Amino acid sequence: FTSLSNGDRGAGNVSKVDIHTLLYSGATTKIYAHMVLWFGDSNHMNIGYSSSNPEQVKNQIDDMVSRGIDGVILDWYGPNNSKDKAAQLIMAQAENHPGFTFAIMVDQGAIQWYSCSGCSPQQAFVSELQYIEHTYFSSPAYMTIAGRPVVTNFNVGLSYPSVDWNAAAATLSTRPLFLFQNNNGFSQPL
């Protein structure tokens, strides 16, 4: 993107060196990028592209693969919106790159703005997890650890402390591995 009037600089010279070459010799560390999918929405700043443009998504994934990035964690805002469309495009592109994986990060905005009408946060979270399981878990490119699909979150626990993660996971056919943020993640009963 080009430089912005607020002083944010546009794209410049960015190295194409495989990021793994910067790690110690013999490292098997996986490198993941956090990816937001809201660019191109009318309520976000215009940076010159849409996150739900298939050609843009292809170029982004191709570029990440060329730099040695192993996958992406997608900041997801619930089903049936432009961010979900972008996530599905990313899934399709990830499937074209063996070894490149993706995982869903449920954003608290999925519950706040894109949940079922009249649902409690728990009901909304369950509904969203069921959608994620149905739509994304079966992808061969979906990130797993020890055979379990990985689901992380952004501020779900902070914004909705009443969410019962175990009860939500119990509604799924495939029990995910939840990754939590901040210190309270160490005390989750999963």
Side-chain angles (χ1 to χ4, degrees), residues 1-20:
F1 64 91
T2 59
S3 296
L4 302 175
S5 61
N6 67 0
D8 287 350
R9 296 192 58 180
N13 185 11
V14 180
S15 174
K16 292 289 270 184
V17 171
D18 183 324
I19 197 163
H20 291 96

Side-chain angles (χ1 to χ4, degrees), residues 91 95 102-104 128-144 147-151 172-178:
M91 175 175 64
E95 290 171 356
F102 74 100
I104 298 293
E128 289 162 356
L129 284 177
Q130 290 171 341
Y131 179 87
I132 292 167
E133 177 182 41
H134 174 73
T135 307
Y136 297 105
F137 283 1
S138 63
S139 170
Y142 198 89
M143 182 194 305
T144 61
R148 293 173 62 190
V150 174
V151 176
L172 304 176
S173 299
T174 306
R175 188 169 179 94
L177 177 64
F178 292 120

Side-chain angles (χ1 to χ4, degrees), residues 144-159:
T144 61
I145 296 176
R148 293 173 62 190
V150 174
V151 176
T152 185
N153 77 93
F154 179 75
N155 284 347
V156 171
L158 180 66
S159 299

Side-chain angles (χ1 to χ4, degrees), residues 2-80:
T2 59
S3 296
L4 302 175
S5 61
N6 67 0
D8 287 350
R9 296 192 58 180
N13 185 11
V14 180
S15 174
K16 292 289 270 184
V17 171
D18 183 324
I19 197 163
H20 291 96
T21 64
L22 304 174
L23 300 173
Y24 61 88
S25 178
T28 59
T29 305
K30 297 281 186 178
I31 306 293
Y32 293 93
H34 176 218
M35 191 170 190
V36 293
L37 307 174
W38 56 57
F39 295 110
D41 287 358
S42 61
N43 60 346
H44 201 276
M45 66 188 237
N46 182 357
I47 62 167
Y49 71 82
S50 169
S51 295
S52 57
N53 176 298
E55 188 62 28
Q56 179 66 32
V57 169
K58 180 186 180 318
N59 291 341
Q60 287 175 311
I61 301 303
D62 287 348
D63 186 62
M64 284 187 257
V65 169
S66 78
R67 295 168 194 275
I69 294 174
D70 296 295
V72 292
I73 310 296
L74 304 176
D75 196 346
W76 186 77
Y77 281 81
N80 306 314

Side-chain angles (χ1 to χ4, degrees), residues 90-144:
I90 290 164
M91 175 175 64
Q93 285 302 316
E95 290 171 356
N96 290 331
H97 295 282
F100 189 86
T101 61
F102 74 100
I104 298 293
M105 171 190 284
V106 179
D107 194 287
Q108 63 87 27
I111 295 172
Q112 182 178 357
W113 299 309
Y114 295 103
S115 64
C116 42
S117 179
C119 288
S120 70
Q122 181 73 26
Q123 291 166 321
F125 188 59
V126 165
S127 175
E128 289 162 356
L129 284 177
Q130 290 171 341
Y131 179 87
I132 292 167
E133 177 182 41
H134 174 73
T135 307
Y136 297 105
F137 283 1
S138 63
S139 170
Y142 198 89
M143 182 194 305
T144 61

